[in-house]
Amino acid sequence: MNVRKTNIYDLDLDQLGVFLSDMQEPAYRARQIWQGLYVHNWQAANEFTNLPKDLRQRLDQTIDFQPLIPEEKLSSSDRQTEKILFRLTDGKAIETVLMAYEERRTLCISTQAGCAMGCVFCATGQMGFRRHLTSGEIVAQVMYYARQLKDRGEKVTNVVMMGMGEPFHNYDSTLAAIDRLNHKYGYNFGARRFTISTVGLVPMIERFTKEKRQINLAISLHAADDELRSSMLPVNRKYPIDVLLKACKAYVETTGRRITFEWALIRDVNDSPETARKLAGRLSGLLCHVNVIPLNPTQKYPGQATTRERAEAFRGVLEKAGIPCTVRIRRGIDIQAGCGQLAEGTQNPSDINFSK
Ligand code: SF4
């Protein structure tokens, strides 16, 4: 019988202790394994030289130390963006992107296979929902790159939950993954280095607000009026802009933290100075920052990216109104770095057809 092994990253330190006590092992072994995983970045039972050989062998039978199978890796022509397609143990596919910019090594990770939110311009949304990732599958994406970067003498500096999936639709696993990566005896990755990006699930924003965490929050806004936003982001029909911004205001007031709004600039759709003025009016008085980025085109959405000039003009209107704004440069276009673009159509192993 083929017994499914336990994903080691699914266990927090206490759960690992229980797992080991079931194997008649002393409690201190949990800390040793934890250290091997998160400090030394070991990814196979035989690497755990801090454990007796017979325990390593037994762990090898029951624990999966590499729950993500890297299947294809693409690098952008400028070598600054790298995208990987991981195969999960049940055959589903997810993507993780590494972006290098000066000293920063930012990981964009997935929280679900596919996504239920259906944003029309997004390849993952076009694909539909497959399943939630476990906390361990979220953690494993970071630890995979922790190891890769360590081998190059580098470190992960930031983690953004902006890959496949809506993190607040998989709230518990997303936050459990952050807690695990943040653990002081483990990877000890600072909470302020994480950013959760949500399309605007208001009840979860409210829950997150109550928890008063140090994690950064970003909202995918993309439109300043409900008619346009609902046509692009179906979630807006349930949580319209007024309701969403009320939750954002409560977040800022409760936590004292600045909130970020993401805005994909689509030519002749949401990139006019008039739209920028409308947005400035909506955000007036809110401690926030707006990131605008020309749209990353996808196969099933006809919208095109705005021009650099129109992006700058949009930024100019916002800044004049006192709203800080950054024009982000599109990265990794030549490797389809937008979330879901690589996994689209590759959910079954037989479907894999990499064009790059
Ligand atoms: S943009 Fe984000 S929330 Fe919307 S469909 Fe894509 S992955 Fe889901």
Side-chain angles (χ1 to χ4, degrees):
M1 195 177 64
N2 210 353
V3 179
R4 181 164 282 188
K5 294 181 179 178
T6 300
N7 172 354
I8 187 71
Y9 299 110
D10 271 331
L11 304 178
D12 64 27
L13 193 52
D14 290 343
Q15 291 165 333
L16 184 57
V18 171
F19 187 93
L20 288 160
S21 86
D22 288 347
M23 294 174 77
Q24 317 299 324
E25 289 292 329
Y28 65 83
R29 293 278 184 233
R31 282 279 286 273
Q32 289 177 312
I33 293 177
W34 201 254
Q35 197 181 37
L37 279 180
Y38 294 107
V39 179
H40 301 301
N41 305 141
W42 291 332
Q43 291 181 350
N46 64 12
E47 290 185 306
F48 285 74
T49 45
N50 57 351
L51 301 176
K53 199 170 172 195
D54 81 297
L55 177 56
R56 281 185 255 162
Q57 282 167 349
R58 281 191 292 141
L59 288 174
D60 196 36
Q61 306 296 314
T62 49
I63 291 272
D64 190 354
F65 288 94
Q66 274 188 304
L68 306 178
I69 313 294
E71 197 160 89
E72 188 75 32
K73 196 183 281 187
L74 305 177
S75 291
S76 61
S77 46
D78 61 8
R79 316 295 299 172
Q80 290 193 323
T81 308
E82 181 179 300
K83 179 164 186 163
I84 210 162
L85 185 135
F86 288 113
R87 188 66 61 188
L88 307 175
T89 47
D90 63 356
K92 307 246 178 333
I94 57 162
E95 303 170 352
T96 305
V97 177
L98 170 68
M99 291 165 287
Y101 181 68
E102 295 177 348
E103 299 305 307
R104 281 187 168 220
R105 297 292 176 270
T106 302
L107 278 185
C108 178
I109 65 171
S110 297
T111 53
Q112 297 175 316
C115 183
M117 297 298 125
C119 306
V120 294
F121 50 77
C122 164
T124 306
Q126 292 157 9
M127 178 192 305
F129 179 69
R130 305 295 155 92
R131 74 164 168 86
H132 294 304
L133 298 191
T134 68
S135 58
E137 288 167 334
I138 299 170
V139 170
Q141 295 169 66
V142 178
M143 296 319 296
Y144 174 87
Y145 266 110
R147 166 92 172 226
Q148 296 286 311
L149 290 175
K150 192 176 192 177
D151 291 347
R152 302 179 206 167
E154 299 173 355
K155 278 182 179 171
V156 179
T157 60
N158 301 81
V159 173
V160 296
M161 268 92 175
M162 266 184 213
M164 296 174 76
E166 160 56 52
F168 278 171
H169 185 210
N170 188 16
Y171 191 98
D172 290 339
S173 294
T174 297
L175 274 293
I178 291 175
D179 287 342
R180 208 156 301 145
L181 289 161
N182 179 234
H183 197 287
K184 63 179 176 182
Y185 298 137
Y187 195 48
N188 199 14
F189 196 80
R192 287 163 189 259
R193 292 172 179 267
F194 289 97
T195 300
I196 292 180
S197 175
T198 177
V199 77
L201 295 183
V202 168
M204 294 299 132
I205 295 172
E206 290 167 349
R207 179 174 167 189
F208 187 70
T209 299
K210 281 196 199 114
E211 291 180 15
K212 292 191 184 172
R213 289 166 172 270
Q214 300 292 308
I215 302 158
N216 301 305
L217 181 62
I219 309 285
S220 297
L221 195 57
H222 308 310
D225 69 78
D226 284 320
E227 193 183 343
L228 178 60
R229 191 164 192 269
S230 293
S231 73
M232 294 159 63
L233 288 77
V235 71
N236 194 71
R237 290 181 211 134
K238 193 157 186 189
Y239 306 113
I241 297 173
D242 275 350
V243 175
L244 173 60
L245 291 183
K246 197 171 159 213
C248 293
K249 193 164 176 250
Y251 168 81
V252 170
E253 283 172 4
T254 305
T255 64
R257 296 182 67 77
R258 188 177 75 164
I259 201 163
T260 298
F261 293 99
E262 306 287 346
W263 191 282
L265 280 169
I266 308 167
R267 195 184 308 164
D268 300 329
V269 173
N270 66 353
D271 66 341
S272 69
E274 189 194 339
T275 302
R277 275 189 285 277
K278 211 184 273 180
L279 174 61
R282 291 272 199 180
L283 302 184
S284 175
L286 188 64
L287 179 63
C288 69
H289 185 99
V290 178
N291 281 334
V292 295
I293 184 162
L295 178 77
N296 200 350
T298 53
Q299 274 178 7
K300 295 179 188 160
Y301 179 67
Q304 294 300 313
T306 196
T307 60
R308 183 84 201 173
E309 293 71 33
R310 279 177 78 83
E312 285 299 341
F314 195 94
R315 183 181 66 81
V317 172
L318 286 178
E319 297 242 304
K320 202 169 164 201
I323 313 277
C325 176
T326 306
V327 178
R328 299 273 176 211
I329 301 164
R330 290 188 300 165
R331 312 285 299 277
I333 290 293
D334 57 337
I335 58 164
Q336 305 170 68
C339 89
Q341 288 183 298
L342 199 56
E344 190 179 28
T346 72
Q347 291 296 324
N348 300 311
S350 56
D351 283 338
I352 297 159
N353 178 20
F354 291 97
S355 54
K356 305 265 173 183

